[in-house]
Amino acid sequence: MIIDDEKLQRTLEKAKSHTDSEVTDILNKARELKGISLEEAAVLLNITDPKLLSDLFNAAKYVKEAIYGNRIVLFAPLYISNICTNECIYCAFRRSNTQLKRHASTQEEIRQEVTALLQQGHKRILMVAGEAYPGGGLQYVYDSIKTIYDTRWNGQNIRRVNVNIAPLTEPEFEELKKCNIGTYQLFQETYHKKTYEQLHIAGAKKDYQFRLDAMDRALQAGINDVGIGPLLGLYDHKYEILATLEHARYLDETYGVGPHTISIPRIEPAEGSDFSQHPNDVMSDDDFKKCVAVLRLAVPYTGIILSTRESPAMRNACLELGVSQISAASRVNPGGYSYDKQNGSQFTLTDDRSLAEVIDAVVGAKHMPSFCTGCYRLGRVGKDFMDMAKPGLIKTHCLPNAMFTFAEYLEDFAPAPLKAKGYALIESTTKESFPEGSPIRRLIDGNLKNIKAGKRDLYF
């Protein structure tokens, strides 16, 4: 893949001149759920008028709910190591940072961490590691994934492990696929090559093109789902969003499968990094919201992920702008959930709410919390998933499966007030979305009854 810098710069410059009627036409087109062009996305990124911004945000909410319904997927990152050989000047994990306490979790420590997450109610994990591995190299990664899957607590287990690790060769991706992972996630950090070279000054990550081509190798190796994204703040955010869209378009046209997820982390202060305190692009909250909304309109089928880098207020606001997945009760250092809750973090967290508190806020906003992993486990992945997501058919599975996994959480973990609120949301959503007497309604009513009676892990 090649990022055409001149094309992106020209597109951004041209988009500065637009009329209100052009914006309205673009938003109307977006509501058809077929996406918008790069040029149209650039126009929307330049909106400043409050009414047009409101129209943009409303369109993004409409598109998200048309594709996925009101469900919000919840997961937790699990950092197994902060050892790294790269020199990325914005990251606390960089090799030269002597202020950071380094550690790679043992398999027993990983079991301890997973147990702590299971005790909260988590079912989905994003496994993260610095770009260096102790002992046997990648075997450490493979062993860690197996440990996560094998860990049990009180009948609970992690049902899907997604992975964020260094870009691999195609044969290495083939080995990773054998570990039964969900999505392989990798951020380009910045798509602007000159800036990338300035910020990544040593280590394997210095190779811009090798990182950019990682998703090609992953898909060619048989990985079904991939996740991409920039780290906003390293370069102009408008450029990064357009480049992300170009990457998504390329993957879709080349492999018939666009990105399963797009993440949009915004840079936060990191221990020992002056750059992280003074990034190249300081975004306003309104600019960040525009990025979320434009991504939703441009790539309507993709899952948009928001991390705990953002404040509770911003995360709550973005639930209405097209975000479909959020991390909850996150820790970003090895041992952060159990044996070392403070040392060695990659960056500063802004949302420190518990899983129950995050779920309470999601329910309060009338969104359905989901721990669903049904698509992964039924093989509804890759092109099969896209064929259902693009026309908006996937929500007929997403929403019921969300309710089943949420009901499990309510039965097994929720305090009484949240349990009452949660079941009230399930009841109202069921009545609003599925006609009484229909086959899907009978399935929902039957599964909810079975979950209350003690059955678990029901999905279709």
Short mmCIF file of all heavy atoms in Angstrom, two decimals, residues 307-368:
data_model
loop_
_atom_site.label_atom_id
_atom_site.label_comp_id
_atom_site.label_asym_id
_atom_site.label_seq_id
_atom_site.Cartn_x
_atom_site.Cartn_y
_atom_site.Cartn_z
N SER A 307 -11.03 4.37 23.66
CA SER A 307 -10.32 3.84 24.83
C SER A 307 -10.51 4.72 26.05
O SER A 307 -11.14 5.77 26.01
CB SER A 307 -8.82 3.73 24.51
OG SER A 307 -8.21 5.02 24.58
N THR A 308 -9.93 4.27 27.15
CA THR A 308 -9.98 5.03 28.39
C THR A 308 -8.96 6.15 28.42
O THR A 308 -8.72 6.75 29.48
CB THR A 308 -9.78 4.11 29.61
OG1 THR A 308 -8.69 3.23 29.35
CG2 THR A 308 -11.01 3.29 29.89
N ARG A 309 -8.35 6.46 27.28
CA ARG A 309 -7.58 7.70 27.18
C ARG A 309 -8.50 8.91 27.32
O ARG A 309 -8.07 9.97 27.75
CB ARG A 309 -6.88 7.78 25.82
CG ARG A 309 -5.73 6.80 25.62
CD ARG A 309 -5.27 6.82 24.18
NE ARG A 309 -4.17 5.91 23.90
CZ ARG A 309 -2.88 6.24 23.86
NH1 ARG A 309 -2.53 7.49 24.08
NH2 ARG A 309 -1.96 5.34 23.58
N GLU A 310 -9.77 8.74 26.92
CA GLU A 310 -10.73 9.84 26.97
C GLU A 310 -11.43 9.88 28.32
O GLU A 310 -11.59 8.87 28.99
CB GLU A 310 -11.75 9.70 25.85
CG GLU A 310 -11.16 9.75 24.45
CD GLU A 310 -10.46 11.06 24.15
OE1 GLU A 310 -10.90 12.10 24.67
OE2 GLU A 310 -9.47 11.05 23.40
N SER A 311 -11.89 11.08 28.69
CA SER A 311 -12.57 11.27 29.97
C SER A 311 -13.94 10.61 29.95
O SER A 311 -14.50 10.34 28.87
CB SER A 311 -12.75 12.77 30.24
OG SER A 311 -13.69 13.32 29.32
N PRO A 312 -14.53 10.34 31.12
CA PRO A 312 -15.89 9.80 31.14
C PRO A 312 -16.87 10.66 30.36
O PRO A 312 -17.72 10.13 29.64
CB PRO A 312 -16.22 9.77 32.63
CG PRO A 312 -14.90 9.59 33.31
CD PRO A 312 -13.93 10.38 32.47
N ALA A 313 -16.77 11.98 30.48
CA ALA A 313 -17.70 12.87 29.77
C ALA A 313 -17.55 12.72 28.27
O ALA A 313 -18.54 12.65 27.53
CB ALA A 313 -17.47 14.31 30.20
N MET A 314 -16.31 12.66 27.78
CA MET A 314 -16.10 12.51 26.34
C MET A 314 -16.54 11.13 25.86
O MET A 314 -17.15 10.99 24.79
CB MET A 314 -14.62 12.73 26.00
CG MET A 314 -14.29 12.55 24.53
SD MET A 314 -15.21 13.63 23.42
CE MET A 314 -14.45 15.21 23.81
N ARG A 315 -16.27 10.11 26.64
CA ARG A 315 -16.68 8.77 26.25
C ARG A 315 -18.20 8.66 26.21
O ARG A 315 -18.77 8.06 25.28
CB ARG A 315 -16.07 7.74 27.20
CG ARG A 315 -14.65 7.38 26.79
CD ARG A 315 -13.82 6.81 27.92
NE ARG A 315 -14.36 5.68 28.59
CZ ARG A 315 -14.15 4.39 28.27
NH1 ARG A 315 -13.45 4.10 27.18
NH2 ARG A 315 -14.64 3.42 29.00
N ASN A 316 -18.86 9.26 27.18
CA ASN A 316 -20.32 9.25 27.17
C ASN A 316 -20.86 9.99 25.95
O ASN A 316 -21.81 9.55 25.30
CB ASN A 316 -20.86 9.89 28.45
CG ASN A 316 -20.58 9.06 29.69
OD1 ASN A 316 -20.25 7.87 29.59
ND2 ASN A 316 -20.68 9.67 30.85
N ALA A 317 -20.23 11.12 25.61
CA ALA A 317 -20.67 11.90 24.45
C ALA A 317 -20.49 11.11 23.16
O ALA A 317 -21.33 11.14 22.27
CB ALA A 317 -19.92 13.22 24.38
N CYS A 318 -19.37 10.39 23.06
CA CYS A 318 -19.06 9.66 21.83
C CYS A 318 -19.94 8.43 21.62
O CYS A 318 -20.00 7.90 20.51
CB CYS A 318 -17.59 9.28 21.80
SG CYS A 318 -16.49 10.69 21.50
N LEU A 319 -20.62 7.98 22.66
CA LEU A 319 -21.59 6.92 22.49
C LEU A 319 -22.68 7.34 21.52
O LEU A 319 -23.30 6.50 20.85
CB LEU A 319 -22.23 6.54 23.83
CG LEU A 319 -21.33 5.89 24.88
CD1 LEU A 319 -22.12 5.62 26.15
CD2 LEU A 319 -20.70 4.60 24.36
N GLU A 320 -22.91 8.64 21.43
CA GLU A 320 -23.96 9.17 20.55
C GLU A 320 -23.44 9.54 19.18
O GLU A 320 -24.19 10.04 18.35
CB GLU A 320 -24.60 10.41 21.19
CG GLU A 320 -25.03 10.24 22.64
CD GLU A 320 -26.05 9.12 22.81
OE1 GLU A 320 -26.89 8.95 21.89
OE2 GLU A 320 -26.00 8.41 23.83
N LEU A 321 -22.17 9.29 18.91
CA LEU A 321 -21.55 9.76 17.66
C LEU A 321 -21.07 8.63 16.76
O LEU A 321 -20.40 8.88 15.77
CB LEU A 321 -20.37 10.68 17.98
CG LEU A 321 -20.67 11.90 18.83
CD1 LEU A 321 -19.40 12.67 19.11
CD2 LEU A 321 -21.70 12.79 18.15
N GLY A 322 -21.38 7.41 17.11
CA GLY A 322 -20.99 6.32 16.24
C GLY A 322 -20.02 5.32 16.82
O GLY A 322 -19.71 4.31 16.19
N VAL A 323 -19.50 5.56 18.03
CA VAL A 323 -18.63 4.59 18.68
C VAL A 323 -19.42 3.31 18.94
O VAL A 323 -20.59 3.36 19.35
CB VAL A 323 -18.08 5.16 20.00
CG1 VAL A 323 -17.51 4.05 20.88
CG2 VAL A 323 -17.01 6.20 19.71
N SER A 324 -18.80 2.16 18.70
CA SER A 324 -19.50 0.90 18.90
C SER A 324 -18.77 -0.05 19.85
O SER A 324 -19.33 -1.08 20.23
CB SER A 324 -19.74 0.20 17.56
OG SER A 324 -18.53 0.02 16.86
N GLN A 325 -17.53 0.27 20.23
CA GLN A 325 -16.79 -0.55 21.19
C GLN A 325 -16.02 0.37 22.14
O GLN A 325 -15.43 1.36 21.69
CB GLN A 325 -15.80 -1.49 20.48
CG GLN A 325 -16.44 -2.48 19.53
CD GLN A 325 -15.44 -3.51 19.04
OE1 GLN A 325 -14.45 -3.83 19.71
NE2 GLN A 325 -15.70 -4.07 17.87
N ILE A 326 -15.99 0.01 23.41
CA ILE A 326 -15.21 0.78 24.39
C ILE A 326 -14.50 -0.16 25.34
O ILE A 326 -15.02 -1.21 25.70
CB ILE A 326 -16.09 1.77 25.19
CG1 ILE A 326 -17.21 1.04 25.94
CG2 ILE A 326 -16.67 2.85 24.29
CD1 ILE A 326 -18.00 1.93 26.89
N SER A 327 -13.31 0.23 25.74
CA SER A 327 -12.64 -0.47 26.82
C SER A 327 -13.21 0.03 28.14
O SER A 327 -13.75 1.14 28.23
CB SER A 327 -11.13 -0.25 26.77
OG SER A 327 -10.84 1.14 26.75
N ALA A 328 -13.09 -0.79 29.16
CA ALA A 328 -13.67 -0.42 30.45
C ALA A 328 -12.80 -0.94 31.59
O ALA A 328 -12.30 -2.07 31.53
CB ALA A 328 -15.09 -0.98 30.59
N ALA A 329 -12.61 -0.11 32.61
CA ALA A 329 -11.81 -0.45 33.78
C ALA A 329 -10.39 -0.84 33.38
O ALA A 329 -9.80 -1.76 33.94
CB ALA A 329 -12.47 -1.55 34.60
N SER A 330 -9.84 -0.12 32.41
CA SER A 330 -8.57 -0.50 31.80
C SER A 330 -7.37 -0.21 32.71
O SER A 330 -7.36 0.76 33.47
CB SER A 330 -8.37 0.26 30.49
OG SER A 330 -9.41 0.00 29.59
N ARG A 331 -6.35 -1.05 32.54
CA ARG A 331 -5.02 -0.78 33.07
C ARG A 331 -4.04 -0.99 31.92
O ARG A 331 -4.25 -1.89 31.09
CB ARG A 331 -4.68 -1.70 34.24
CG ARG A 331 -5.60 -1.52 35.44
CD ARG A 331 -5.46 -0.13 36.08
NE ARG A 331 -6.35 0.04 37.22
CZ ARG A 331 -7.57 0.58 37.16
NH1 ARG A 331 -8.04 0.98 35.99
NH2 ARG A 331 -8.31 0.71 38.23
N VAL A 332 -3.01 -0.18 31.86
CA VAL A 332 -2.11 -0.20 30.69
C VAL A 332 -0.67 -0.49 31.11
O VAL A 332 0.28 0.06 30.57
CB VAL A 332 -2.22 1.11 29.88
CG1 VAL A 332 -3.59 1.20 29.22
CG2 VAL A 332 -1.96 2.34 30.75
N ASN A 333 -0.53 -1.39 32.07
CA ASN A 333 0.78 -1.86 32.49
C ASN A 333 0.68 -3.33 32.86
O ASN A 333 -0.39 -3.80 33.26
CB ASN A 333 1.30 -1.06 33.68
CG ASN A 333 0.44 -1.25 34.93
OD1 ASN A 333 -0.75 -0.93 34.91
ND2 ASN A 333 1.02 -1.77 36.00
N PRO A 334 1.77 -4.08 32.73
CA PRO A 334 1.75 -5.48 33.16
C PRO A 334 1.43 -5.58 34.65
O PRO A 334 2.04 -4.90 35.47
CB PRO A 334 3.18 -5.95 32.87
CG PRO A 334 3.71 -5.00 31.86
CD PRO A 334 3.07 -3.69 32.16
N GLY A 335 0.45 -6.39 34.99
CA GLY A 335 0.06 -6.56 36.39
C GLY A 335 -0.95 -5.57 36.88
O GLY A 335 -1.31 -5.58 38.06
N GLY A 336 -1.43 -4.71 36.02
CA GLY A 336 -2.27 -3.60 36.46
C GLY A 336 -3.58 -3.98 37.09
O GLY A 336 -4.17 -3.18 37.84
N TYR A 337 -4.08 -5.18 36.84
CA TYR A 337 -5.35 -5.60 37.41
C TYR A 337 -5.18 -6.35 38.73
O TYR A 337 -6.16 -6.56 39.44
CB TYR A 337 -6.10 -6.49 36.43
CG TYR A 337 -6.44 -5.80 35.14
CD1 TYR A 337 -5.73 -6.07 33.98
CD2 TYR A 337 -7.47 -4.86 35.07
CE1 TYR A 337 -6.03 -5.45 32.78
CE2 TYR A 337 -7.78 -4.22 33.88
CZ TYR A 337 -7.05 -4.51 32.74
OH TYR A 337 -7.35 -3.87 31.56
N SER A 338 -3.93 -6.76 39.03
CA SER A 338 -3.78 -7.61 40.22
C SER A 338 -2.51 -7.36 41.01
O SER A 338 -2.54 -6.85 42.13
CB SER A 338 -3.86 -9.09 39.82
OG SER A 338 -2.86 -9.41 38.88
N TYR A 339 -1.34 -7.63 40.42
CA TYR A 339 -0.14 -7.68 41.24
C TYR A 339 0.73 -6.42 41.19
O TYR A 339 1.67 -6.29 41.96
CB TYR A 339 0.71 -8.91 40.89
CG TYR A 339 1.26 -8.93 39.48
CD1 TYR A 339 2.46 -8.30 39.16
CD2 TYR A 339 0.58 -9.59 38.47
CE1 TYR A 339 2.97 -8.31 37.88
CE2 TYR A 339 1.09 -9.62 37.18
CZ TYR A 339 2.27 -8.99 36.89
OH TYR A 339 2.78 -9.01 35.61
N ASP A 340 0.44 -5.48 40.28
CA ASP A 340 1.21 -4.23 40.23
C ASP A 340 0.33 -3.15 39.62
O ASP A 340 0.33 -2.95 38.41
CB ASP A 340 2.48 -4.40 39.40
CG ASP A 340 3.43 -3.20 39.52
OD1 ASP A 340 2.99 -2.16 40.07
OD2 ASP A 340 4.58 -3.30 39.07
N LYS A 341 -0.41 -2.46 40.43
CA LYS A 341 -1.48 -1.60 39.92
C LYS A 341 -1.02 -0.19 39.53
O LYS A 341 -1.83 0.61 39.07
CB LYS A 341 -2.60 -1.51 40.96
CG LYS A 341 -3.26 -2.86 41.21
CD LYS A 341 -4.53 -2.75 42.00
CE LYS A 341 -5.19 -4.12 42.14
NZ LYS A 341 -6.49 -4.05 42.83
N GLN A 342 0.28 0.11 39.66
CA GLN A 342 0.70 1.49 39.40
C GLN A 342 1.88 1.61 38.44
O GLN A 342 1.93 2.54 37.64
CB GLN A 342 1.08 2.17 40.73
CG GLN A 342 -0.12 2.37 41.65
CD GLN A 342 0.27 3.13 42.91
OE1 GLN A 342 1.45 3.24 43.25
NE2 GLN A 342 -0.72 3.63 43.63
N ASN A 343 2.82 0.70 38.47
CA ASN A 343 4.10 0.91 37.78
C ASN A 343 4.07 0.46 36.32
O ASN A 343 3.39 -0.49 35.96
CB ASN A 343 5.21 0.14 38.51
CG ASN A 343 5.45 0.69 39.90
OD1 ASN A 343 5.68 1.87 40.07
ND2 ASN A 343 5.37 -0.18 40.91
N GLY A 344 4.86 1.19 35.50
CA GLY A 344 5.13 0.72 34.16
C GLY A 344 4.04 0.94 33.13
O GLY A 344 3.94 0.19 32.16
N SER A 345 3.21 1.98 33.29
CA SER A 345 2.11 2.22 32.37
C SER A 345 2.60 2.87 31.08
O SER A 345 3.54 3.65 31.08
CB SER A 345 1.05 3.12 33.01
OG SER A 345 0.41 2.45 34.09
N GLN A 346 1.89 2.58 29.98
CA GLN A 346 2.27 3.12 28.68
C GLN A 346 1.91 4.59 28.57
O GLN A 346 2.59 5.36 27.92
CB GLN A 346 1.60 2.33 27.56
CG GLN A 346 2.09 2.73 26.17
CD GLN A 346 1.44 1.94 25.07
OE1 GLN A 346 0.33 1.45 25.21
NE2 GLN A 346 2.14 1.80 23.95
N PHE A 347 0.79 4.99 29.17
CA PHE A 347 0.33 6.38 29.12
C PHE A 347 -0.60 6.62 30.30
O PHE A 347 -0.92 5.70 31.06
CB PHE A 347 -0.39 6.67 27.79
CG PHE A 347 -1.51 5.72 27.48
CD1 PHE A 347 -2.78 5.91 27.98
CD2 PHE A 347 -1.28 4.62 26.66
CE1 PHE A 347 -3.81 5.02 27.71
CE2 PHE A 347 -2.31 3.72 26.38
CZ PHE A 347 -3.58 3.93 26.90
N THR A 348 -1.05 7.86 30.45
CA THR A 348 -1.92 8.23 31.55
C THR A 348 -3.38 7.94 31.21
O THR A 348 -3.88 8.37 30.17
CB THR A 348 -1.78 9.73 31.87
OG1 THR A 348 -0.41 10.00 32.17
CG2 THR A 348 -2.64 10.12 33.06
N LEU A 349 -4.06 7.22 32.09
CA LEU A 349 -5.48 6.95 31.91
C LEU A 349 -6.30 8.14 32.36
O LEU A 349 -5.96 8.83 33.32
CB LEU A 349 -5.89 5.72 32.72
CG LEU A 349 -5.34 4.38 32.24
CD1 LEU A 349 -5.62 3.30 33.27
CD2 LEU A 349 -5.94 4.00 30.91
N THR A 350 -7.40 8.40 31.67
CA THR A 350 -8.27 9.51 32.02
C THR A 350 -9.60 9.04 32.60
O THR A 350 -10.23 9.76 33.36
CB THR A 350 -8.54 10.39 30.77
OG1 THR A 350 -7.29 10.73 30.18
CG2 THR A 350 -9.25 11.68 31.14
N ASP A 351 -10.01 7.84 32.25
CA ASP A 351 -11.25 7.26 32.77
C ASP A 351 -10.89 6.08 33.66
O ASP A 351 -10.47 5.03 33.19
CB ASP A 351 -12.14 6.80 31.61
CG ASP A 351 -13.50 6.28 32.08
OD1 ASP A 351 -13.70 6.17 33.30
OD2 ASP A 351 -14.34 5.98 31.21
N ASP A 352 -11.04 6.26 34.98
CA ASP A 352 -10.68 5.19 35.91
C ASP A 352 -11.91 4.53 36.54
O ASP A 352 -11.82 3.89 37.59
CB ASP A 352 -9.75 5.72 37.00
CG ASP A 352 -10.38 6.83 37.84
OD1 ASP A 352 -11.55 7.20 37.56
OD2 ASP A 352 -9.72 7.32 38.77
N ARG A 353 -13.06 4.64 35.90
CA ARG A 353 -14.27 4.02 36.43
C ARG A 353 -14.17 2.50 36.39
O ARG A 353 -13.50 1.91 35.55
CB ARG A 353 -15.49 4.46 35.61
CG ARG A 353 -15.87 5.91 35.77
CD ARG A 353 -17.02 6.27 34.83
NE ARG A 353 -16.62 6.14 33.42
CZ ARG A 353 -17.47 6.28 32.39
NH1 ARG A 353 -18.75 6.53 32.62
NH2 ARG A 353 -17.02 6.15 31.16
N SER A 354 -14.89 1.86 37.30
CA SER A 354 -14.98 0.41 37.30
C SER A 354 -15.85 -0.05 36.14
O SER A 354 -16.58 0.73 35.52
CB SER A 354 -15.58 -0.08 38.62
OG SER A 354 -16.96 0.30 38.68
N LEU A 355 -15.80 -1.36 35.85
CA LEU A 355 -16.66 -1.90 34.79
C LEU A 355 -18.12 -1.65 35.11
O LEU A 355 -18.90 -1.24 34.23
CB LEU A 355 -16.39 -3.40 34.64
CG LEU A 355 -17.27 -4.14 33.62
CD1 LEU A 355 -17.15 -3.53 32.23
CD2 LEU A 355 -16.93 -5.63 33.60
N ALA A 356 -18.52 -1.84 36.35
CA ALA A 356 -19.92 -1.62 36.73
C ALA A 356 -20.32 -0.16 36.53
O ALA A 356 -21.44 0.12 36.08
CB ALA A 356 -20.14 -2.04 38.18
N GLU A 357 -19.42 0.76 36.84
CA GLU A 357 -19.74 2.18 36.66
C GLU A 357 -19.86 2.54 35.18
O GLU A 357 -20.73 3.32 34.79
CB GLU A 357 -18.66 3.04 37.33
CG GLU A 357 -18.71 3.00 38.84
CD GLU A 357 -17.51 3.68 39.48
OE1 GLU A 357 -16.40 3.61 38.91
OE2 GLU A 357 -17.69 4.27 40.57
N VAL A 358 -18.99 1.97 34.35
CA VAL A 358 -19.09 2.21 32.91
C VAL A 358 -20.39 1.65 32.36
O VAL A 358 -21.12 2.31 31.61
CB VAL A 358 -17.88 1.60 32.17
CG1 VAL A 358 -18.08 1.67 30.66
CG2 VAL A 358 -16.60 2.32 32.56
N ILE A 359 -20.72 0.44 32.76
CA ILE A 359 -21.97 -0.18 32.31
C ILE A 359 -23.18 0.64 32.75
O ILE A 359 -24.13 0.84 31.98
CB ILE A 359 -22.06 -1.63 32.83
CG1 ILE A 359 -21.06 -2.50 32.08
CG2 ILE A 359 -23.48 -2.18 32.67
CD1 ILE A 359 -20.99 -3.93 32.57
N ASP A 360 -23.15 1.14 33.97
CA ASP A 360 -24.26 1.96 34.48
C ASP A 360 -24.45 3.19 33.59
O ASP A 360 -25.59 3.57 33.28
CB ASP A 360 -23.98 2.37 35.92
CG ASP A 360 -25.19 3.01 36.57
OD1 ASP A 360 -26.15 2.28 36.89
OD2 ASP A 360 -25.19 4.25 36.74
N ALA A 361 -23.35 3.81 33.17
CA ALA A 361 -23.44 4.99 32.30
C ALA A 361 -23.96 4.61 30.92
O ALA A 361 -24.76 5.34 30.32
CB ALA A 361 -22.06 5.66 32.17
N VAL A 362 -23.52 3.47 30.40
CA VAL A 362 -23.99 3.01 29.09
C VAL A 362 -25.49 2.74 29.14
O VAL A 362 -26.25 3.16 28.25
CB VAL A 362 -23.22 1.75 28.65
CG1 VAL A 362 -23.84 1.12 27.42
CG2 VAL A 362 -21.76 2.09 28.39
N VAL A 363 -25.93 2.07 30.18
CA VAL A 363 -27.37 1.79 30.33
C VAL A 363 -28.16 3.08 30.50
O VAL A 363 -29.24 3.24 29.93
CB VAL A 363 -27.59 0.85 31.53
CG1 VAL A 363 -29.08 0.72 31.85
CG2 VAL A 363 -26.99 -0.52 31.25
N GLY A 364 -27.60 4.01 31.28
CA GLY A 364 -28.28 5.29 31.48
C GLY A 364 -28.49 6.06 30.20
O GLY A 364 -29.44 6.84 30.07
N ALA A 365 -27.61 5.82 29.22
CA ALA A 365 -27.74 6.47 27.91
C ALA A 365 -28.56 5.65 26.93
O ALA A 365 -28.62 5.96 25.74
CB ALA A 365 -26.35 6.74 27.33
N LYS A 366 -29.18 4.57 27.43
CA LYS A 366 -30.06 3.71 26.62
C LYS A 366 -29.31 2.92 25.55
O LYS A 366 -29.86 2.59 24.50
CB LYS A 366 -31.19 4.52 25.96
CG LYS A 366 -32.01 5.34 26.93
CD LYS A 366 -32.67 4.50 28.00
CE LYS A 366 -33.51 5.34 28.95
NZ LYS A 366 -34.03 4.55 30.10
N HIS A 367 -28.04 2.61 25.83
CA HIS A 367 -27.28 1.73 24.97
C HIS A 367 -27.17 0.37 25.64
O HIS A 367 -27.16 0.28 26.88
CB HIS A 367 -25.88 2.29 24.70
CG HIS A 367 -25.90 3.56 23.91
ND1 HIS A 367 -26.10 3.59 22.56
CD2 HIS A 367 -25.75 4.86 24.29
CE1 HIS A 367 -26.08 4.85 22.13
NE2 HIS A 367 -25.86 5.63 23.16
N MET A 368 -27.07 -0.68 24.83
CA MET A 368 -27.05 -2.04 25.34
C MET A 368 -25.62 -2.54 25.49
O MET A 368 -24.93 -2.76 24.49
CB MET A 368 -27.81 -2.96 24.38
CG MET A 368 -27.95 -4.40 24.87
SD MET A 368 -29.00 -4.51 26.34
CE MET A 368 -30.57 -3.91 25.66
#
